[in-house]
Amino acid sequence: MSTIAPRPRLGGFTAEAIFVRRSLRHSVRDAESLIMSVALPVVLMLMFTYVFGGAIDPTGGYVDYVVPGTILTCAGFGAATTATFVANDMTGGIIDRIRTMPLRSGAVLTGHVVASLVRNLVATGVVILVALAIGFRPQTGLTGWIGAIAMIGLWIFAITYLFAAIGLASGSAEAASGYGFILLFLPYISSGFVPLDTMPGWLRVIAEVQPVTPIIETIRGLLMGTDSGSAPLQAVVWCVGIVIVAAAWGAWLFRHKAGRR
């Protein structure tokens, strides 16, 4: 009796490329989320610059200070949608269909992360253009811009992986959105909008030990030509650590919830 040979598994990164395109198409179709991920940080930057900026820095240079924090806020809003997308996939039956196909089930997670990185870099570019239009004047050259973009991309990659894992852990898209919302407050409890020495002692300790502060200081130093001290090393260690933990957690959750292929 003849048997039907199983279809060969897709080689290389073919499966990942398929799901990256799928996630990008979903991003384009979900225009409201994309617009909000850009509009909210832009409105925030305008509010801090024109409403609070005069009180914080009467010289008018506050926009140069606030842009790095706004960029990371933009990254957080954009990456948060990944948790919702992943949770929808886990509860919508697509994972069960994937398990019947000759491809790696984890490719769907990679697709979400890479698509979010592309989406958020575009949104960050829009925020920077608006900042330049309202007076942001970075004091750096090409090397500084490359370093800043690399740091922003590494943070987006790390936070997106963490949001993807949160989406896997959540029982619904609504829960994923709620859990991820907590992380969106990190830029506010940092040096993103006010200097750390203006904070109460207990809050300053929290701001100093959390990951967003060294990342903001690194971006600020690269764009404004100031000395960042040990912040770049701390920022890279934080980002790499978050990626390792989130990837391991996400892989375990995926095997637990979607089954080992």
Side-chain angles (χ1 to χ4, degrees):
M1 182 176 62
S2 62
T3 58
I4 300 176
R7 290 176 294 176
R9 188 185 295 268
L10 294 177
F13 295 99
T14 303
E16 282 76 8
I18 291 172
F19 281 101
V20 168
R21 289 196 297 270
R22 170 181 177 267
S23 296
L24 287 174
R25 286 198 300 269
H26 284 182
S27 298
V28 173
R29 292 171 183 170
D30 190 10
E32 292 180 356
S33 296
L34 185 60
I35 292 172
M36 290 302 294
S37 68
V38 177
L40 286 177
V42 167
V43 170
L44 184 70
M45 179 171 59
L46 295 175
M47 181 182 68
F48 270 91
T49 300
Y50 291 117
V51 178
F52 305 121
I56 297 174
D57 185 359
T59 66
Y62 182 64
V63 64
D64 291 331
Y65 185 89
V66 79
V67 167
T70 305
I71 290 173
L72 261 65
T73 303
C74 174
F77 279 119
T81 60
T82 304
T84 304
F85 290 153
V86 171
N88 281 330
D89 277 351
M90 295 301 294
T91 58
I94 184 65
I95 301 301
D96 293 331
R97 294 179 59 188
I98 292 172
R99 293 181 62 191
T100 67
M101 301 177 184
L103 50 82
R104 291 177 295 277
S105 296
V108 65
L109 197 62
T110 303
H112 281 301
V113 172
V114 175
S116 176
L117 178 61
V118 174
R119 187 172 62 240
N120 279 289
L121 286 175
V122 172
T124 298
V126 174
V127 171
I128 292 175
L129 289 175
V130 174
L132 291 171
I134 64 174
F136 176 51
R137 296 296 179 264
Q139 306 296 318
T140 188
L142 180 61
T143 303
W145 274 107
I146 292 174
I149 293 171
M151 186 72 257
I152 294 167
L154 182 58
W155 170 247
I156 292 173
F157 185 71
I159 196 69
T160 300
Y161 243 119
L162 183 56
F163 273 115
I166 291 173
L168 286 172
S170 305
S172 65
E174 291 77 12
S177 177
Y179 295 146
F181 189 75
I182 298 172
L183 297 177
L184 299 181
F185 282 99
L186 287 179
Y188 301 102
I189 313 174
S190 72
S191 61
F193 299 99
V194 295
L196 295 183
D197 57 14
T198 64
M199 298 181 180
W202 62 271
L203 186 59
R204 179 176 179 177
V205 172
I206 296 175
E208 289 176 341
V209 300
Q210 62 121 321
V212 172
T213 293
I215 295 169
I216 287 176
E217 291 302 320
T218 300
I219 297 171
R220 184 176 288 133
L222 288 167
L223 292 180
M224 302 309 300
T226 57
D227 182 18
S228 302
S230 63
L233 177 60
Q234 296 177 43
V236 171
V237 170
W238 266 113
C239 289
V240 172
I242 291 172
V243 170
I244 292 173
V245 171
W249 183 33
W252 181 85
L253 287 169
F254 203 95
R255 289 194 300 269
H256 178 69
K257 290 196 171 186
R260 188 187 298 274
R261 284 192 52 80

